[in-house]
Amino acid sequence: MVPVVSWLVGRIVRLRGDAGDVPGWVMVTVMTAGLVAAVFAVFRDAIVVAVQSALEQVVSDTGR
């Protein structure tokens, strides 16, 4: 995933013609993706169980 982010940032900088700082929204997006990946890595099992439980409830409610 990191090579894709690096490519995207480089592409945006070239399109805008900026040789300076990374645009703020790109930094926020990259940092948010990093936080989501870190949280998912730590709490993967709990997240999977919670999503499966929620989906089972939705499926069982629609089957009435």
Side-chain angles (χ1 to χ4, degrees):
M1 181 168 139
V2 175
V4 173
V5 173
S6 297
W7 174 84
L8 180 61
V9 171
R11 180 81 175 153
I12 291 168
V13 169
R14 271 182 266 140
L15 286 175
R16 291 187 61 206
D18 294 340
D21 294 335
V22 174
W25 66 270
V26 173
M27 187 59 73
V28 169
T29 303
V30 170
M31 290 174 69
T32 301
L35 287 172
V36 169
V39 167
F40 188 75
V42 173
F43 298 105
R44 182 178 188 272
D45 294 334
I47 293 170
V48 169
V49 168
V51 170
Q52 285 176 339
S53 174
L55 289 174
E56 287 172 3
Q57 287 180 353
V58 169
V59 169
S60 67
D61 286 346
T62 58
R64 289 183 179 178

